[in-house]
Each structure stands twice: as C-alpha cells, then as structure tokens.
Amino acid sequence: MNVVESGTHKTLHSYKFTRLTAALFFTNAFIMLCLIIFVLVAYTPLKTFIPGYPDAMSKRDAVNNAIKVDSLERVIYKWELYSENIRRVLQGDETIDIQSIITVPDTVSTFRDDGPGYTDAQFREAVMKEEQFDLPAGMKRNLPLEGIHFFQPVKGVVSKGFDELTHPYLDITAPANSLVMAPLDGTVIFTGWNNDAGYTLQIQHENDLVTIFQHTEKLLKKTGDKVRAGTPVALVGSAESLSVGDHLRFDLWYKGEAVDPQKYMTL
C-alpha cells in the first residue's frame, strides 16, 4: 500500500502487508488485551465478581454467622442442662450447678474453712495442693483419639491450617473478647505471658492429651485449676507484638506429638 501526494502523485510512504506482519500484529494485540484484563482483575474491584473469590465482606459475614450459631448453641446447651436437672429432681438425684458451667467467674475462689480448727484446715489445703494436677481415678479412660468428643474451643474461622513442620497448630480468627472454652475436662498446668505469644494457657487432659491456647487477651483460669469441658478459660485478643488481628492460636498434643485438631473436632 502506497501513500501519495494528491497534486504530484509522488509516493510519500509505502507499506507492505504480508502474512507474517499480520500475524505479528494480531499476536501483539492479543497480548496487550490479556495484560489489560489482568490489570483490571488484579488491581480493581472487578475481582470480587469472580465466583468463589473471598472478599472482606464475605469473611466478616462468616464470622458474624459463626457468632450467631454460637449464641444459639449456648441457648440449646442451657436448655439441655435445665432438662437434665428436671430429670434429676424427679429421680431424686443431685442437680447440676448450671451457672458454674455457663457463666464466666468474676473472681477466683480461695480455700476457706471457718468450721474446723487451724490444724485440720492446713491438712485439707495440703491435700488439695498435692492432688490439684491429678485427674480423678473414675475419670481416667483409655479411648482412641477418634472416639473422644471435643468441645469446640472458640467460634471463628480457621485463617491458617495445620502443618506438621512449619505450622503445628491452628490460627482461628474470632472477634475480640470471644470466649475460649476448654475442649475436654482437665487441669491447667501452665499460665503465662510474653511478647511473642501473648497470654498462654495449657491444659492437661486424660489419655496423654494437652491443649495449648496462645494469643489471648486475658486468662480466666490459673495454674492448678480444674476445668470442665465447655467452661471459659480465656478471652480472644491480640496482645502480642508479632500478631496481626484478633485470633486464637490453638495446639493439640497427643502423646508428646502435635496433631491436627481439625481431624478430631469441628472448627
């Protein structure tokens, strides 16, 4: 194709189109189109229209729904306890103290003995200290890990899963001050705080099981306290320097080895 001057018909420019130049033109056009689509999807809100893409709103809705489900489960759990107490009253058995199971204790109870003499009170306190880390003999059962029913430690969303080598625990995102529950009956064997893990609490259970809770804002139990499954032991927070956002770091150890909690409990 030639471009000529209108008056003199002198050739100004000459363009020659071949199959090769046409192929190069369409290839470059296709690459540019792909780059434009990639930039639009990666750096603009258009990516939220992709099916299955998790945006901030969907994550927030998931957390809110988990909290609502937790509230409903608490109501159901309370009514089950009321029904159990009614059954026990009709049968003449001792009732369950519902408030000690559901509510969070405001104060830590201390040993007190006003009736017996000073020597008897000292003896009782010594026995309590010796036995505070031992599970009752009637509670000890040798069950396989798959047959144990765990209470859900916290209602939230698992933000980072278990990896045996690099991440031998779970990170569970939950709103600040959410209650952290004991998954099984047991005894608190450690409580403490540091800049990397925040407030930390460890519970020894039967069957050589240990659960560890880290990155908490506040501890509700102290070392030596016995806890029942489902009782509050801490509050979710972000008190340490290396954490981003409110979440709970949850460890499950079985016979001295870390195991994936999601294989044995609902999270």
Side-chain angles (χ1 to χ4, degrees):
M1 182 181 70
N2 298 324
V3 178
V4 299
E5 190 176 358
S6 60
T8 61
H9 297 284
K10 181 180 179 181
T11 301
L12 299 178
H13 299 284
S14 179
Y15 300 97
K16 185 178 182 180
F17 285 95
T18 63
R19 292 182 179 180
L20 179 60
T21 55
L24 290 175
F25 173 79
F26 287 110
T27 301
N28 292 333
F30 177 75
I31 294 174
M32 290 298 298
L33 180 62
C34 292
L35 289 175
I36 293 173
I37 294 175
F38 172 77
V39 171
L40 290 176
V41 172
Y43 300 102
T44 66
L46 289 176
K47 59 187 176 184
T48 58
F49 292 98
I50 300 176
Y53 185 87
D55 56 356
M57 184 175 296
S58 62
K59 291 181 180 179
R60 184 171 60 252
D61 291 340
V63 173
N64 291 334
N65 290 335
I67 296 173
K68 292 179 181 178
V69 171
D70 178 55
S71 300
L72 293 176
E73 286 185 350
R74 289 178 183 278
V75 173
I76 295 173
Y77 182 55
K78 185 182 292 186
W79 278 109
E80 288 178 350
L81 291 176
Y82 280 128
S83 300
E84 176 65 17
N85 271 346
I86 292 175
R87 184 188 66 79
R88 293 192 178 200
V89 169
L90 294 177
Q91 293 182 354
D93 299 332
E94 185 179 355
T95 59
I96 303 172
D97 187 0
I98 298 177
Q99 295 302 321
S100 65
I101 297 176
I102 299 177
T103 59
V104 181
D106 295 329
T107 59
V108 178
S109 60
T110 57
F111 180 81
R112 180 177 178 180
D113 196 321
D114 295 331
Y118 178 75
T119 304
D120 188 30
Q122 274 191 326
F123 175 75
R124 293 188 184 186
E125 186 174 5
V127 172
M128 289 177 64
K129 289 182 178 180
E130 290 177 358
E131 296 183 349
Q132 65 180 357
F133 294 103
D134 295 328
L135 292 173
M139 294 175 57
K140 295 182 178 179
R141 299 176 297 169
N142 293 321
L143 293 176
L145 196 57
E146 294 79 2
I148 299 176
H149 176 71
F150 292 89
F151 195 93
Q152 188 171 3
V154 68
K155 287 291 184 180
V157 178
V158 177
S159 57
K160 190 171 184 180
F162 177 92
D163 184 89
E164 186 175 2
L165 298 178
T166 61
H167 199 261
Y169 34 74
L170 295 179
D171 287 341
I172 306 174
T173 302
N177 296 322
S178 297
L179 290 176
V180 178
M181 310 294 187
L184 295 170
D185 296 351
T187 303
V188 179
I189 59 175
F190 174 80
T191 54
W193 184 90
N194 60 59
N195 290 332
D196 296 336
Y199 286 102
T200 301
L201 182 141
Q202 299 180 9
I203 304 177
Q204 174 71 61
H205 311 282
E206 59 180 342
N207 296 322
D208 295 324
L209 280 168
V210 175
T211 51
I212 303 175
F213 307 88
Q214 300 182 63
H215 296 188
T216 62
E217 180 70 24
K218 181 180 180 181
L219 300 179
L220 304 177
K221 298 293 181 180
K222 67 180 187 304
T223 302
D225 285 347
K226 294 185 181 298
V227 295
R228 303 283 293 178
T231 55
V233 296
L235 300 178
V236 172
S238 180
E240 70 287 357
S241 60
L242 299 181
S243 175
V244 178
D246 298 311
H247 72 283
L248 171 71
R249 176 164 291 178
F250 177 61
D251 300 45
L252 177 62
W253 290 75
Y254 179 58
K255 294 185 177 180
E257 295 182 0
V259 296
D260 186 357
Q262 288 186 293
K263 292 183 178 180
Y264 308 105
M265 64 182 71
T266 302
L267 293 170

